Structures are given as structure tokens and as C-alpha cells.
Amino acid sequence: MLYDLNIAWSPSTPPDKLLQTLAAARSLGYASVAINHQLDQPVHTAPSSCPIPPLAPTTTTTTTTTSLALPNILHRATFPLADPSAPSYRLPALAAVYDLVAVRPTTPEAFQNACLTLDVALISLDLAQPATRFHFRPKPCMAAVARGVRFEVCYAQLLNAADARARAAFIGNVTGLFRATRGRGIVLSSEARSALGLRGPADVVNLLGVWGLPHERGLEGLRALPRGVVVNEGIKRTGFRGIVDIVQTAEDPGKGVAQQGVPEDTPGGGKNQKRKPGQLGDGAQISKRQAKKMRLANRAAAAGADKSG
């Protein structure tokens, strides 16, 4: 199953355009996608409900009505982070509204703070900004990977780059990130604003493999790693204290015994129940001394039979 955890959305996005983008993602093989709401900085208050409107898989024109095959849709918010000393108390409020919550550091200090201290599952980076060139160091990056934090690389930033400087900044940043993490903990997304910004999974893996991402790491970034992010975030919201989740309850074993025709009030639990050591067939108990005498008598009888034979 393929995942794309970043389909760009804003309040000005037409629903028809968003539906076309989702249908194109489904046609390319992506089974689950996340519609991303990029919050503006600074974030004063968290929304009380998700502003992303519900989508219908049908489009009606003046002549015909077309049904679209859409993937599984998740709702996501990206929290901008510029000041490392800024409070992050709004993140739990966002987690109650959206399915996924990511942070986007815009300064090296905020990036280091997100790697080492913030309790987030996804760090999304705008790698095509020449003014905010990151210097990725292995120590904080690998510390984030060890904590279970994933780094998101959006390939549409390169495709939509305005000039050569933005493309050079993206290539330099993504090469440094791959070198610092050794390709571990990389989630590949599109951040596509239209269907033209999407690419197939093979094209994405081959494109980023040019700058140092191994082929198997690229496949993990489209399959296993984003699936882990989605599953873990779901357990945090539905499970007990974000750790334990009830998948299926066990059946009562007494009901199965009653259905098989075994009377529940029968002493000993039925005829086929195994007897405990030292218990006779009628349920009477014998002492240890009597059991020892019986064993010795049986041995003596067996020895006499051998001698007579």
C-alpha cells in the first residue's frame, strides 16, 4: 500500500480541483493520502473543527455525472515553527481536530528543537527556500530517528521551483539530509497543489536516488514509514493513553462449553475431563500413603509375574 501524506490544500482551493488531484493520486497507485492544511504563522488559536470540507466522489457537469475513484483520505495540519522558545501547547489542540499533525521548522534552531524535544511524528521541511539553508548534522538527525520522528521530503518543491536558485537549494538540502540520516526515517510526499504535481512511485524513487537515497529506503518512504506514522497517530487518538488499543475482544470460554452439550452444573465438568493425579473415576480422593502402597503392590505383582514366566 502506497501513501502520500501531503496533498496541499488552502481555503481558496476549488473542490473540483482537489477531487481531480485525489483521483490522479489514486490512479498512480496511492491508496491513502492526507490533505494538508498549512497553517499561517503565527498561530494564535487552534481551530475548533477541521476546515477541510467533506468531499463527494461524484462530479456533476451540465451534461453528465461522473463517479471518481478516490483513495482513503486523512486530514492533516502543518504547524509552522520559527522560534525554538515558542510554546507548543497548541499541538495537542490540533491533534484533537486533525488525523495527523506535522511541524515545519523555518530556522536551524527550530529544526534542532523539533529533532530533540518536540513530541511530533513528522517534521516537514521546505527545502527549496534559498534563504533558509539548513546544515544537517548527524547527531540531532539520528536522535530524532531514534525517537521515532520522521523527516518529510516533498518532491513537488523541486518541480514547482521558481528559479535555478530554488532548485539548487532543494538539491543541496536534500543531499545533506540524506547524508546526515543515511537515508533512514525519510517519508516521501508530494505536496502537490494540482494533478500535474504528482508523480508515480517509481519516478519518485528514481528521482531521489540520484541524490543519494537508496532504492530500498525510497520504497520504505512510500510504504512502511508513512504507514507507521498513520497507525501510531491513530493509536494516540483512540487507544488507552496512546499505548494500548483494543483490536478484538476474546470470547467467553464458558459459552463454548455450554454449546457443545456439556452440563455446566456437572461435578468435574463432564465425562471427558482429565482426572487430576490421585483422583479416582468417581471423583473420590485418595491419600498419598495409599497411592504409594498401590504403586508398591503393582511393582511386586509385576516382579512376581516375571519370575513365574
Side-chain angles (χ1 to χ4, degrees):
M1 180 180 289
L2 299 175
Y3 291 79
D4 188 353
L5 299 185
N6 196 338
I7 299 293
W9 177 87
S10 64
S12 61
T13 302
D16 296 341
K17 184 178 180 180
L18 182 59
L19 282 173
Q20 292 176 0
T21 305
L22 296 176
R26 179 62 180 178
S27 64
L28 291 174
Y30 297 99
S32 295
V33 300
I35 302 177
N36 181 29
H37 181 201
Q38 178 69 39
L39 302 177
D40 297 330
Q41 189 175 0
V43 180
H44 297 288
T45 58
S48 59
S49 61
C50 181
I52 301 175
L55 300 175
T58 57
T59 56
T60 303
T61 60
T62 56
T63 57
T64 59
T65 300
T66 306
S67 178
L68 300 176
L70 301 181
N72 181 33
I73 299 175
L74 303 173
H75 296 160
R76 166 186 160 180
T78 301
F79 186 84
L81 192 64
D83 187 5
S85 61
S88 58
Y89 57 86
R90 295 186 182 90
L91 293 178
L94 292 174
V97 178
Y98 296 90
D99 298 322
L100 302 174
V101 176
V103 295
R104 171 157 289 185
T106 58
T107 61
E109 293 79 10
F111 174 75
Q112 184 173 358
N113 182 35
C115 291
L116 299 179
T117 61
L118 284 185
D119 185 14
V120 294
L122 199 62
I123 297 178
S124 179
L125 299 172
D126 190 359
L127 302 176
Q129 291 294 332
T132 58
R133 176 70 182 270
F134 291 98
H135 297 281
F136 299 102
R137 294 183 297 161
K139 188 174 182 179
C141 292
M142 294 307 297
V145 174
R147 292 197 306 119
V149 181
R150 307 305 178 195
F151 299 101
E152 184 183 42
V153 174
C154 302
Y155 58 86
Q157 297 173 359
L158 176 66
L159 302 178
N160 300 329
D163 51 10
R165 289 185 58 198
R167 291 190 292 270
F170 179 88
I171 296 173
N173 286 326
V174 77
T175 304
L177 180 62
F178 293 161
R179 186 184 300 111
T181 60
R182 300 179 183 178
R184 300 177 182 176
I186 303 297
V187 172
L188 303 180
S189 302
S190 63
E191 201 176 4
R193 301 184 181 276
S194 64
L196 297 177
L198 294 171
R199 294 295 183 272
D203 296 335
V204 176
V205 173
N206 293 333
L207 176 64
L208 297 179
V210 176
W211 298 304
L213 184 65
H215 184 268
E216 60 276 6
R217 299 293 185 187
L219 293 178
E220 287 182 359
L222 292 172
R223 294 176 179 172
L225 294 183
R227 180 184 182 276
V229 172
V230 173
V231 172
N232 292 336
E233 290 298 303
I235 293 178
K236 287 181 181 179
R237 288 158 175 78
T238 60
F240 175 72
R241 293 186 178 180
I243 299 175
V244 181
D245 193 10
I246 299 176
V247 179
Q248 183 178 2
T249 57
E251 297 180 357
D252 188 3
K255 295 182 180 180
V257 175
Q259 292 176 358
Q260 293 175 2
V262 180
E264 296 181 358
D265 56 349
T266 302
K271 297 181 179 179
N272 296 329
Q273 184 179 7
K274 294 183 179 180
R275 296 192 299 270
K276 298 180 180 179
Q279 184 178 7
L280 300 179
D282 55 355
Q285 298 286 339
I286 61 175
S287 63
K288 295 182 179 180
R289 182 178 297 178
Q290 187 176 358
K292 184 176 180 180
K293 290 181 180 180
M294 292 176 61
R295 289 197 300 269
L296 293 177
N298 292 334
R299 291 178 184 176
D306 294 339
K307 291 180 180 180
S308 62

